Amino acid sequence: MTFKSALDIDCGIRYMYDTLCIMSPCGRKMLLESKMMTTKDDIDNYYGRLRDVYDKDCSKIANKLMCIKDIHNTLCRLSDAIVLDDIELYEVKYLAIITSEVDALLQQLQLTAIELPSLQAVVDILDPDHTHIPSFYIYDSYSPQLHEVRKQLRAIQIEGKDLSDEMRQEVALLMQRNADLELQIRERLTLQLQPYASKLQQALDNLSLLDILIAKATQMHELQLTFPHITQDNYTLYNNMFNPAVKAHLAHQGRDFMPVSIGIEQEPVTIIGANMGGKSVVIKSLALNQLLAQYGFGVAADSCHINPVEEVALCIGDEQSITKGVSSFAGEIMAIDAVLSKVRSGKKILALIDEPARTTNPIEGTALVEGLLSVIEEVKGRWILTTHYNIKNDNVKRYKVKGLHDGIMDYTLVPTHSGDVPHEAIAIAENLGIDTQWIEYTKSKLNN
């Protein structure tokens, strides 16, 4: 799965992308096309690079990277020895100059996260007068014949506009000769530069990666994110996990986000609590942080141990599809069944199911959830379910949202052995200031 496709997952990953200050279009393109890392070695190697950048002041490098353009097409043409025009030759020259300047800054910072190839030979080819100016045109010094033709043209132009027909004909011949010589020079330069096409592409790719690493390191400092500890023991643990998107939304309202600590093993996990108990935020945060770890971002927790998976499956919200002709319940059950089929096939999935069977009646809904838990005990996998049904299955790990205390909702998760969901709907409704007559009638119905 590419990072671009992961942005469609409703867990807060879009917020992380939007707040990432990537300087170059090629850096943003590389991130969007990057694939989710699924092995401990790949993830550890990536975070090793990010740690190197995290501890350095890379602001000068970031300013240089603002000037990098995506010239992949130009480099493909160069690799195929297709004659480059003046703009393309300028792009190649500018990339070579920026690469040399960034490489010098990397050495000053003793930063080894990436390596840049030496492109001084490319600069020398495209800067024969050694001006060190990031611009390009066909210099006179490329050809004595070109120098002479341009000298004659300048001499004629000095004489003014009133030229004889003979002089005009001579100017036309000189202009054509100038164009022919410039084309020959472009052909020669293209052939001279062709052997460096792969190094130029390597430089562009590594500068793009450096841009991404610097942006991620900056985001880690700004959002107080941490480096994950990647494990292979099928155990995931978060200490004070949070969701940056939700945290920012609450901060805008003058409220604080209450972090959550949770441990996940191979056994199914259920999170129980009343509606508005924060269960959906927990499940979204679990999806978000798993994705962040496997795409090489800082993770939103004080500390964490994360076990890599091959896919993150988040089933949350209304699965109704008008185009497919299915109801909310049918869409939801079909989505869960699709995840179950993948797990049965042996795929390592983190399956996060929010309020399964919520749209059917409580009796059948409870039975469906208990049935699902019985199935996933047998097929194994990493399943976390939230529910407000009273679940009797004892072969699961349970967490309970603490709930209302003195009129304040406490979203902290605590382990529990009971499957009974707290009866807090009326208290929550009262806390929200719902119509008092409605509340009183509801209480009387309950008492009866």
Side-chain angles (χ1 to χ4, degrees):
M1 180 172 65
T2 64
F3 183 73
K4 183 178 181 180
S5 61
L7 292 176
D8 293 330
I9 300 176
D10 180 20
C11 63
I13 192 73
R14 170 69 67 174
Y15 175 84
M16 302 301 293
Y17 175 69
D18 290 342
T19 55
L20 197 64
C21 189
I22 296 178
M23 296 298 183
S24 64
C26 46
R28 198 162 290 277
K29 178 183 177 183
M30 174 178 280
L31 174 62
L32 290 171
E33 293 177 351
S34 64
K35 293 185 177 181
M36 188 172 77
M37 298 175 287
T38 57
T39 68
K40 174 177 168 57
D41 287 345
D42 286 345
I43 300 172
D44 284 343
N45 178 63
Y46 191 93
Y47 277 113
R49 292 182 170 190
L50 184 57
R51 283 182 185 277
D52 190 25
V53 174
Y54 181 83
D55 295 327
K56 308 290 195 312
D57 179 5
C58 298
S59 55
K60 290 183 179 179
I61 294 177
N63 289 335
K64 295 287 184 184
L65 295 175
M66 291 176 63
C67 306
I68 296 296
K69 295 182 178 180
D70 185 0
I71 63 168
H72 175 74
N73 291 337
T74 296
L75 297 181
C76 286
R77 284 168 54 82
L78 177 60
S79 182
D80 294 335
I82 299 173
V83 179
L84 304 185
D85 59 27
D86 286 6
I87 293 177
E88 291 170 321
L89 290 168
Y90 159 74
E91 291 174 341
V92 171
K93 178 183 178 182
Y94 196 57
L95 174 59
I97 290 175
I98 292 295
T99 299
S100 298
E101 292 176 350
V102 171
D103 191 47
L105 292 172
L106 292 176
Q107 293 181 36
Q108 289 178 19
L109 294 172
Q110 297 182 328
L111 201 156
T112 59
I114 66 162
E115 292 184 3
L116 294 173
S118 174
L119 295 176
Q120 187 56 48
V122 173
V123 176
D124 292 340
I125 291 170
L126 297 175
D127 188 20
D129 295 341
H130 305 292
T131 61
H132 303 292
I133 298 174
S135 61
F136 177 82
Y137 81 108
I138 303 297
Y139 299 92
D140 290 3
S141 52
Y142 276 130
S143 165
Q145 295 92 338
L146 180 65
H147 175 74
E148 183 59 32
V149 168
R150 288 177 173 174
K151 180 180 178 181
Q152 293 178 36
L153 280 170
R154 286 193 292 270
I156 293 173
Q157 290 169 353
I158 291 174
E159 295 183 12
K161 298 181 180 179
D162 297 328
L163 301 178
S164 64
D165 291 343
E166 183 178 351
M167 293 289 286
R168 291 181 185 279
Q169 184 176 6
E170 182 179 355
V171 168
L173 291 172
L174 287 170
M175 292 291 289
Q176 184 59 52
R177 178 60 176 160
N178 182 82
D180 292 342
L181 288 170
E182 287 186 355
L183 178 58
Q184 292 175 17
I185 291 168
R186 291 190 193 94
E187 292 172 344
R188 188 178 79 221
L189 291 175
T190 299
L191 291 175
Q192 286 180 291
L193 292 169
Q194 186 188 22
Y196 300 99
S198 61
K199 282 190 174 183
L200 286 160
Q201 186 62 59
Q202 179 188 352
L204 183 62
D205 290 343
N206 286 356
L207 288 172
S208 300
L209 175 57
L210 181 59
D211 190 8
I212 295 170
L213 291 172
I214 292 173
K216 287 179 176 178
T218 301
Q219 186 183 65
M220 288 183 70
H221 287 291
E222 291 175 346
L223 300 183
Q224 296 180 311
L225 310 178
T226 190
F227 288 95
H229 178 69
I230 306 301
T231 70
Q232 292 179 306
D233 56 6
N234 293 320
Y235 184 64
T236 292
L237 171 68
Y238 291 100
N239 177 33
N240 290 331
M241 174 184 70
F242 62 97
N243 189 306
V246 179
K247 184 177 180 179
H249 178 71
L250 292 175
H252 185 69
Q253 299 177 342
R255 299 160 60 195
D256 293 327
F257 185 97
M258 185 171 290
V260 171
S261 297
I262 185 172
I264 304 165
E265 299 180 70
Q266 280 293 87
E267 62 182 325
V269 174
T270 60
I271 302 173
I272 62 175
N275 287 328
M276 283 193 67
K279 302 186 302 298
S280 296
V281 173
V282 172
I283 211 117
K284 287 185 177 185
S285 300
L286 286 169
L288 171 65
N289 284 290
Q290 186 78 35
L291 291 170
L292 291 178
Q294 295 194 230
Y295 281 108
F297 284 71
V299 176
D302 285 353
S303 62
C304 58
H305 291 69
I306 297 178
N307 188 261
V309 295
E310 296 175 85
E311 183 180 332
V312 176
L314 177 63
C315 298
I316 190 169
D318 189 355
E319 299 289 344
Q320 181 174 345
S321 173
I322 296 175
T323 58
K324 293 180 181 178
V326 297
S327 66
S328 299
F329 173 73
E332 175 190 39
I333 295 301
M334 289 168 64
I336 296 172
D337 183 63
V339 176
L340 187 57
S341 295
K342 291 180 181 179
V343 175
R344 285 186 186 276
S345 71
K347 194 168 187 179
K348 191 175 182 181
I349 294 179
L350 174 63
L352 303 157
I353 316 296
D354 189 36
E355 300 277 11
R358 78 179 78 184
T359 55
T360 191
N361 66 78
I363 295 174
E364 288 185 299
T366 301
L368 279 166
V369 174
E370 290 181 342
L372 176 60
L373 288 170
S374 296
V375 169
I376 62 182
E377 284 177 47
E378 299 177 8
V379 300
K380 301 302 179 183
R382 304 174 65 77
W383 295 79
I384 298 94
L385 282 69
T386 68
T387 185
H388 62 270
Y389 293 141
N390 293 330
I391 303 301
K392 304 302 181 184
N393 191 308
D394 293 325
N395 298 320
V396 298
K397 184 175 184 178
R398 288 193 180 91
Y399 287 95
K400 178 179 70 174
V401 179
K402 277 191 174 181
L404 277 174
H405 291 281
D406 298 325
I408 299 174
M409 177 61 77
D410 186 342
Y411 297 105
T412 305
L413 294 181
V414 292
T416 180
H417 297 292
S418 171
D420 294 337
V421 178
H423 294 179
E424 296 176 328
I426 305 303
I428 292 173
E430 284 185 299
N431 198 46
L432 291 172
I434 301 302
D435 184 90
T436 54
Q437 188 176 18
W438 182 8
I439 297 296
E440 291 305 317
Y441 275 136
T442 302
K443 286 181 178 180
S444 67
K445 295 291 184 183
L446 286 174
N447 292 333
N448 292 331

